[in-house]
Amino acid sequence: MKEEKEKKEISRREFLGKAGTGVAGSYFILSSLKQAEAVAKENPLQPPETYFGNIQVQLTVNGVKHKVRVHTNTTLVELLRDRLSLTGTKVVCNHGECGGCTVVIDKKAVYSCQMLALDADGKDVTTIEGLLKGEELHKVQQAFIDKDGLQCGFCTPGQIMSAYALLLNNPDPSEEEIKTAMAGNICRCSAYPKIKESVAEAARLLKA
Amino acid sequence: MSGDFNIVGRSVVRQDAYAKVTGQAKFADDYKFPGMLFGVMVRTDVSHALIHSIDYSGLLDYPEVTVCDINDIRGSRKVGVVTADQPVFCYEKIVTPGDVICMLVGADESQLKLLTAKVKTELEELPLITDPEKALDPDATFIHPDKKSNLIVHYPLRKGDVEKGFHESKHVIEQKYTTPLIEHAYLEPEAVTAVPIEGRGGVRIIGSIQNPHTTRRIVAEVLNFPLTKVRVVQAELGGAFGGKDDLMNIISARAAIAAIKTRRPVKVRYTREESVVESYKRHPYIMKYKVGFNDDGIIKAMKIDILADGGAYASMSPFVTWRTVVQATGPYEIENVHTDVRAVYTNNPYTGAMRGFGSPQPIFAQESLMDEIAEIIGVSPYEIRKINGVKPGSITASGHKLRDHDVNLLSVLERAERETNFTERHKECSRSANTKFQTSQKFRGSGFILKKDEMLDNRDIIKKGIGLAVSLRGCSLGAEGIDAAAAYLSVQKDGSAYLISGLAENGQGLRTTFSIIAAEVLGISPEHIYYLEQDTGIIADSGPTVASRSTIMGGSAVKNAAEIIKKRFEEMLLTYWNIKSKDQLLFKNNRVYEQSRSISFSELCSLAYSKGLNMSAIGWFKGPSVHWDEEKGQGAAYFTYVYGCQVAEVSANLLTGEIFVDRIVAVHDPGKIINLMGAKGQVFGGVTQGAGYALWEGITTYNGNIRENNFDQILIPTSKDIGEIESIFLEGEDIYGAWGAKSLGEPTLELTAAAIANAVKNATGLRYFNLPLNPEEILLSRKLSPNDLSRGSTN
Ligand code: FES
Ligand code: FES
């Protein structure tokens, strides 16, 4: 507790100095310090450019190219939710424990709360919003509806992205492989049996 | 209509499924408003102290930051669902680490988090009470001095004469059981935005709120506004399990204060760590049972003494512990009962409503006890429950005669026994239990190092066991609460319809269930029903969505509304078709039939519209009155009950102490099932959470501080942690509820831990008295909690 207090008390200038060096350091230290700049007092409704950071990254999200400024410690999920308004991706633990923030990068399921926006530079990111093509549901989404693989739905975007990543790499997973691939996604409503069924169903639908 | 349903009882896809699988469903933190500010809480690092002063001078350099504290409150400074003991902002005392002294408001949330350290407080620490057993000591400091006692509530229940009963018993045994503090762990952390209503001087609140009407009442009290000026809208709720009530009311009040003060929308959203530190949890119980019985297995007397740790605030403790006193003896007919249930204040995190609502704890105790009785007199666990279990016409501990519904306890029990071949397998497993466990004992604590292949898949080390548990559960709030619910149904001229009920969706699928009920009455497809956003501005207060009351109460109100409209249609058709009786009218498949003719529902509606027929109705259901004698704890506590039996099959690893649940068979009588798909989901959810309660979960505290504050340490079950779950429904008839539909969500959870504990005993030959049954409990019979704060990952 004590130590954390001290961390918090580092002055703004000190912090900006550190951030300016571009050393990402440990996310856990920086997380309590991020975005320490004050909003411009004259017009608080319009935050200044630098409010969002001064490092430019370029990435593709759901097929759309974005050029945005971020802080050294902005996480990918913050970039997606707060800057790009893609709120389908959820923050549950912000700790790499639950899979609620799962997105897909290079065919891999990634916890977006544990990836710095900087590290997503040049990457091609798919989020839950990217699965829908116009009005048409992706087969994985359809399977989750058909097999009722959800209750409250808060874990669902993460579950679907994990399933999507699994099926990209392994179109014909065994029950055990499904279990393992989905083990990183917590569902407190515990729709697990139906989630497993949904993933198996999605594999079937995709093959058909 | 009985037995012949169009939609009821089938599997219907959830109404909200599309929005949820596409990421379009809007949860509280997904809302953004122009000019929105954020609110960040300031807490102290003590658990019990007097507040002498709060110094904001460190914030002088930050004019863009607004502080909200006690001085901004025009109405009630303290609030509560039952007792107003929880300050919105603390001003006299800190009584638990989650307590908030003020909130910083500004546009930059990260900056505000840093600035919390600039608020300085002068505190005088007070002696801590963290052991509930010491809370009532004569020299204990009062947590709330104005209450002049640390007792939140005491419920006695007296039936017959226990001393006489013990005297007449050949065997008398006494046991003590404990259960831990449990975090709801809804995946969506708390979030709410308060938006000032321009020009009308009110405030609109949108958030992850379980009971919008309760939130409205609390916010209005704090702002000193009439109820109508606070409009609460429920965002899509990312799980609640009973947990988004009291705390959400208070957070909403804080956001509202800030919105009024700054005239800007203000959002408050918690991190997981904040959610864990400030939210209420499930009560830890200390339960002492004394029971007298004879060789024939008949229980003569039961004396029960239960102490619930209410933590720093009363919250729902009075309701939760009331259910405990009614159900503490379990579903057994016992002649002499003497029960005392007390809830006390301590400096621990406060406790309130959580799925189960005062029943999982006593069920763990009483079902463990039943197995012990069975063992002493040499009958099977199945047999002992058959001997003592309630039957139609039985009298409960509170003197309530069970009738007007199918008393299906023995039916669910028999079905579960048959399905699992219980008695035989139980006998088989118990035969080898002791010897095997003793063999493994020689390895324990002797520095023996396991080789890789000895850890897993070693037949000698893995021991199987099977156990069961049964329950009866009173539906809805019972004699302690006001029980009524409203629904509003408005049919449009094209045949589609708006529906809303005063009970709110908590993620369990209530909207779908209610749409099915309305659709069934009108003979239309549920897709034609559009469930409105939960909004206190459009529907009457129907009490909280807790205590398994939504289906039975809300469902009845929805059915009532649909029937009112159906009757009007029928009367119109009598004249229109010039017929005498409405008996021949059949509402089915989106049409209305009368012998050979028919009309589509949409045509009917457009006709009704042109004739000026009122196609909107408010349905109402008031629970039948129930009665309770506070002194003796006697009365018809609930107007009806549901029954359940679960069988757990486990594998115990005798070397590591690890328990794996291979299979759970859950047999429930929830009354009529409305949506089969939703019902199965409830069983999976309840059983898995129950297994978590049995084996892994448990929040520990040190000087009131929570050690486990994120999911790295709060172990909630993942998909790999539990085996197969099988659900079986026996739909008993009942005069209450829509076609007899009662409740399911909570019964599914309350039994699992008890069934698992009995299965573990069957496997290991040893009985454990303290949940969770984690490896340290199994191997060492104690909990290994380090005594310092450093165990927490982010401390
Ligand atoms: S929110 Fe990213 S893993 Fe939990
Ligand atoms: S559906 Fe609620 S957490 Fe998974």
Side-chain angles (χ1 to χ4, degrees):
Chain A
M1 289 299 265
K2 280 250 166 57
E3 205 189 331
E4 181 158 308
K5 279 253 162 83
E6 272 162 31
K7 272 188 237 157
K8 282 183 189 161
E9 275 167 292
I10 299 175
S11 76
R12 255 188 311 155
R13 184 163 307 145
E14 253 176 286
F15 164 65
L16 289 175
K18 277 189 195 171
T21 62
V23 181
S26 155
Y27 169 68
F28 292 104
I29 294 174
L30 288 175
S31 70
S32 54
L33 299 172
K34 70 194 156 172
Q35 299 178 8
E37 285 164 84
V39 180
K41 286 159 203 167
E42 317 77 61
N43 184 2
L45 292 181
Q46 281 285 311
E49 259 301 286
T50 50
Y51 170 72
F52 294 116
N54 43 21
I55 301 158
Q56 182 160 305
V57 295
Q58 206 169 341
L59 74 172
T60 309
V61 181
N62 303 330
V64 181
K65 284 215 167 75
H66 294 274
K67 241 190 221 174
V68 274
R69 291 181 174 281
V70 298
H71 289 284
T72 42
N73 61 349
T74 303
T75 59
L76 177 57
V77 72
E78 287 166 344
L79 172 64
L80 292 171
R81 285 183 59 88
D82 299 341
R83 302 292 306 285
L84 305 181
S85 290
L86 293 169
T87 54
T89 307
K90 302 301 177 205
V91 183
V92 174
C93 65
N94 211 12
H95 215 83
E97 294 289 338
C98 74
C101 59
T102 307
V103 298
V104 173
I105 299 175
D106 296 338
K107 286 186 159 195
K108 277 203 197 93
V110 172
Y111 286 173
S112 61
C113 73
Q114 295 299 298
M115 185 178 208
L116 291 173
L118 287 179
D119 293 335
D121 190 32
K123 293 273 179 350
D124 189 344
V125 182
T126 308
T127 71
I128 186 74
E129 288 91 348
L131 292 193
L132 194 66
K133 294 279 172 278
E135 290 279 281
E136 199 192 330
L137 289 170
H138 190 276
K139 295 282 191 291
V140 182
Q141 294 172 312
Q142 189 60 50
F144 270 75
I145 294 183
D146 295 347
K147 294 291 166 187
D148 197 34
L150 65 144
Q151 278 189 37
C152 77
F154 205 71
C155 71
T156 310
Q159 303 277 4
I160 291 181
M161 294 318 286
S162 285
Y164 172 69
L166 164 69
L167 298 175
L168 279 180
N169 296 295
N170 179 0
D172 199 8
S174 68
E175 216 190 301
E176 215 33 56
E177 284 168 331
I178 292 178
K179 267 199 205 173
T180 306
M182 302 302 291
N185 289 74
I186 291 181
C187 175
R188 183 55 159 172
C189 300
S190 306
Y192 296 128
K194 292 180 170 192
I195 292 171
K196 275 178 241 163
E197 270 179 50
S198 304
V199 182
E201 172 74 6
R204 255 194 307 278
L205 290 177
L206 283 168
K207 269 187 289 176
Chain B
M1 189 146 214
S2 73
D4 189 17
F5 292 102
N6 292 317
I7 327 153
V8 162
R10 309 247 166 89
S11 284
V12 175
V13 168
R14 315 174 52 93
Q15 277 218 339
D16 45 22
Y18 182 90
K20 285 174 177 176
V21 301
T22 52
Q24 291 171 8
K26 277 217 171 198
F27 294 88
D29 190 28
D30 301 340
Y31 286 88
K32 273 185 200 165
F33 297 88
M36 186 171 81
L37 305 176
F38 288 94
V40 166
M41 305 302 153
V42 180
R43 301 190 179 83
T44 65
D45 51 10
V46 298
S47 302
H48 198 192
L50 291 174
I51 303 172
H52 287 316
S53 68
I54 305 174
D55 174 7
Y56 298 118
S57 56
L59 294 170
L60 284 175
D61 288 346
Y62 304 89
E64 70 276 24
V65 173
T66 307
V67 178
C68 292
D69 68 2
I70 183 68
N71 299 306
D72 297 298
I73 298 181
R74 284 183 250 159
S76 312
R77 300 169 142 205
K78 289 185 183 176
V79 297
V81 176
V82 185
T83 313
D85 59 2
Q86 188 167 9
V88 178
F89 292 114
C90 293
Y91 53 100
E92 293 162 329
K93 282 187 81 175
I94 299 291
V95 294
T96 195
D99 278 350
V100 168
I101 48 172
C102 66
M103 178 169 80
L104 306 186
V105 183
D108 184 346
E109 197 183 14
S110 319
Q111 177 206 23
L112 298 175
K113 289 195 174 174
L114 295 177
L115 292 180
T116 55
K118 303 244 177 224
V119 178
K120 303 284 179 215
T121 46
E122 197 189 316
L123 304 168
E124 178 187 333
E125 289 209 45
L126 297 170
L128 283 178
I129 301 174
T130 53
D131 178 355
E133 292 191 290
K134 299 211 172 99
L136 297 179
D137 285 356
D139 59 343
T141 328
F142 295 142
I143 308 276
H144 299 284
D146 53 327
K147 298 260 180 292
K148 307 229 161 14
S149 164
N150 287 332
L151 183 69
I152 297 175
V153 74
H154 171 206
Y155 293 117
L157 181 148
R158 309 283 181 258
K159 178 190 179 194
D161 178 350
V162 269
E163 288 318 317
K164 185 171 140 272
F166 287 131
H167 200 73
E168 291 164 5
S169 304
K170 181 171 167 204
H171 312 275
V172 175
I173 56 171
E174 279 183 74
Q175 293 299 13
K176 180 176 161 185
Y177 306 86
T178 68
T179 61
L181 193 63
I182 297 287
E183 168 68 27
H184 298 80
Y186 28 77
L187 286 202
E188 177 203 26
E190 293 77 2
V192 66
T193 308
V195 186
I197 301 175
E198 300 275 341
R200 299 192 62 178
V203 63
R204 196 167 149 255
I205 293 188
I206 180 152
S208 54
I209 291 162
Q210 182 180 332
N211 300 314
H213 282 95
T214 320
T215 302
R216 179 184 65 156
R217 172 170 71 82
I218 301 285
V219 173
E221 271 174 31
V222 172
L223 298 178
N224 200 15
F225 275 10
L227 290 171
T228 44
K229 283 207 168 176
V230 178
R231 191 158 176 181
V232 179
V233 178
Q234 184 188 41
E236 197 65 59
L237 200 58
F241 316 113
K244 283 176 177 163
D245 194 359
D246 307 60
L247 176 58
M248 281 315 303
N249 303 337
I250 288 192
I251 300 178
S252 301
R254 292 177 191 146
I257 290 168
I260 301 284
K261 188 170 181 175
T262 60
R263 302 217 200 122
R264 297 266 287 270
V266 175
K267 182 189 267 189
V268 177
R269 53 176 177 185
Y270 277 8
T271 60
R272 177 60 49 189
E273 287 81 3
E274 280 185 289
S275 169
V276 173
V277 74
E278 200 183 337
S279 69
Y280 57 95
K281 326 237 172 277
R282 181 187 290 148
H283 294 74
Y285 273 25
I286 300 169
M287 298 171 282
K288 294 175 188 151
Y289 275 70
K290 180 176 175 185
V291 59
F293 53 96
N294 286 318
D295 285 333
D296 55 8
I298 294 178
I299 299 173
K300 297 294 289 180
M302 200 180 263
K303 190 166 186 228
I304 305 168
D305 190 357
I306 293 177
L307 184 64
D309 184 354
Y313 301 108
S315 180
M316 279 274 190
S317 287
F319 285 154
V320 170
T321 50
W322 187 76
R323 181 175 289 278
T324 308
V325 78
V326 176
Q327 296 180 182
T329 52
Y332 306 110
E333 192 169 15
I334 301 168
E335 205 182 310
N336 307 294
V337 182
H338 182 290
T339 308
D340 287 288
V341 179
R342 291 180 182 82
V344 293
Y345 286 120
T346 64
N347 293 113
N348 293 325
Y350 73 117
T351 47
M354 181 172 176
R355 191 176 188 176
F357 210 76
S359 71
Q361 301 96 330
I363 290 177
F364 164 61
Q366 110 236 336
E367 289 302 275
S368 299
L369 199 56
M370 287 309 280
D371 269 27
E372 277 195 70
I373 297 171
E375 202 175 325
I376 291 172
I377 62 162
V379 300
S380 80
Y382 167 67
E383 214 38 58
I384 193 74
R385 287 169 175 84
K386 254 180 87 172
I387 296 170
N388 292 288
V390 291
K391 298 149 190 95
S394 285
I395 311 240
T396 66
S398 72
H400 185 185
K401 188 164 184 183
L402 298 174
R403 55 192 171 128
D404 291 339
H405 65 275
D406 287 335
V407 180
N408 263 340
L409 182 77
L410 297 188
S411 323
V412 292
L413 174 66
E414 272 155 26
R415 181 68 194 274
E417 131 79 20
R418 227 179 326 127
E419 208 64 41
T420 55
N421 196 10
F422 179 85
T423 311
E424 211 169 290
R425 290 177 54 205
H426 186 268
K427 214 185 270 167
E428 220 171 89
C429 293
S430 60
R431 228 175 277 137
S432 56
N434 276 321
T435 53
K436 282 282 157 60
F437 196 63
Q438 256 113 55
T439 337
S440 76
Q441 294 246 347
K442 70 170 184 264
F443 299 137
R444 298 209 272 151
S446 62
F448 176 83
I449 294 167
L450 298 173
K451 295 193 198 82
K452 212 174 169 203
D453 58 339
E454 284 171 325
M455 288 286 285
L456 300 163
D457 289 325
N458 190 327
R459 307 268 162 229
D460 286 341
I461 292 169
I462 306 290
K463 186 67 195 66
K464 299 274 180 193
I466 187 166
L468 67 73
V470 291
S471 73
L472 113 167
R473 179 179 186 89
C475 296
S476 200
L477 286 176
E480 284 293 288
I482 308 155
D483 240 359
Y488 171 69
L489 179 66
S490 175
V491 180
Q492 309 300 304
K493 69 173 178 182
D494 65 351
S496 60
Y498 286 126
L499 175 66
I500 182 171
S501 138
L503 291 166
E505 171 78 49
N506 281 192
Q508 77 279 53
L510 172 150
R511 290 180 290 222
T512 314
T513 304
F514 288 177
S515 299
I516 293 173
I517 293 174
E520 180 72 44
V521 172
L522 296 175
I524 59 175
S525 332
E527 301 92 79
H528 294 179
I529 294 184
Y530 182 92
Y531 205 95
L532 290 167
E533 290 70 38
Q534 204 69 34
D535 181 336
T536 57
I538 53 179
I539 185 74
D541 189 349
S542 300
T545 309
V546 294
S548 300
R549 65 190 291 275
S550 62
T551 305
I552 190 162
M553 301 294 299
S556 301
V558 170
K559 184 160 175 262
N560 178 238
E563 279 167 350
I564 293 172
I565 295 175
K566 183 180 176 188
K567 201 159 158 240
R568 291 186 198 144
F569 281 138
E570 286 173 338
E571 260 143 34
M572 186 187 77
L573 282 172
L574 287 189
T575 12
Y576 183 65
W577 276 341
N578 195 15
I579 44 176
K580 292 262 137 20
S581 137
K582 30 187 194 187
D583 297 352
Q584 295 294 322
L585 292 174
L586 184 63
F587 287 67
K588 210 178 159 167
N589 303 333
N590 298 311
R591 294 191 83 78
V592 185
Y593 300 87
E594 198 262 340
Q595 294 181 353
S596 57
R597 62 184 144 186
S598 75
I599 182 171
S600 78
F601 190 74
S602 56
E603 277 174 83
L604 175 74
C605 293
S606 110
L607 181 71
Y609 182 78
S610 67
K611 288 185 180 299
L613 188 82
N614 176 2
M615 292 190 284
S616 302
I618 291 174
W620 193 259
F621 179 74
K622 186 180 167 318
S625 34
V626 276
H627 156 81
W628 191 250
D629 170 347
E630 289 282 342
E631 248 154 58
K632 291 224 156 69
Q634 292 292 297
Y638 296 96
F639 57 86
T640 191
Y641 299 83
V642 291
Y643 303 88
C645 176
Q646 290 184 359
V647 174
E649 299 171 17
V650 304
S651 298
N653 184 323
L654 302 183
L655 274 184
T656 63
E658 190 194 358
I659 307 293
F660 187 81
V661 179
D662 301 317
R663 179 173 176 235
I664 301 271
V665 176
V667 185
H668 288 275
D669 168 12
K672 181 78 206 151
I673 302 255
I674 302 289
N675 184 4
L676 190 60
M677 217 184 223
K680 284 190 175 159
Q682 284 297 314
V683 176
F684 294 141
V687 165
T688 310
Q689 289 182 2
Y693 191 43
L695 299 177
W696 310 285
E697 293 179 41
I699 295 282
T700 62
T701 57
Y702 178 68
N703 285 348
N705 289 288
I706 292 172
R707 290 198 184 93
E708 302 84 356
N709 57 14
N710 206 327
F711 293 149
D712 52 340
Q713 298 203 314
I714 302 171
L715 302 180
I716 58 181
T718 71
S719 60
K720 276 200 134 180
D721 292 330
I722 179 162
E724 199 188 326
I725 300 167
E726 207 174 300
S727 50
I728 297 169
F729 300 114
L730 291 180
E731 298 172 71
E733 304 252 321
D734 200 309
I735 59 167
Y736 298 114
W739 304 288
K742 298 188 270 190
S743 38
L744 182 62
E746 297 188 280
T748 55
L749 181 146
E750 64 188 9
L751 287 163
T752 318
I756 291 175
N758 283 337
V760 169
K761 160 70 170 66
N762 187 224
T764 62
L766 291 180
R767 183 156 290 286
Y768 299 93
F769 299 92
N770 310 297
L771 292 183
L773 307 179
N774 51 11
E776 56 220 53
E777 179 72 27
I778 299 291
L779 292 182
L780 311 170
S781 292
R782 67 188 167 89
K783 304 278 182 251
L784 295 178
S785 298
N787 289 331
D788 60 90
L789 275 170
S790 58
R791 192 169 158 222
S793 59
T794 49
N795 286 318

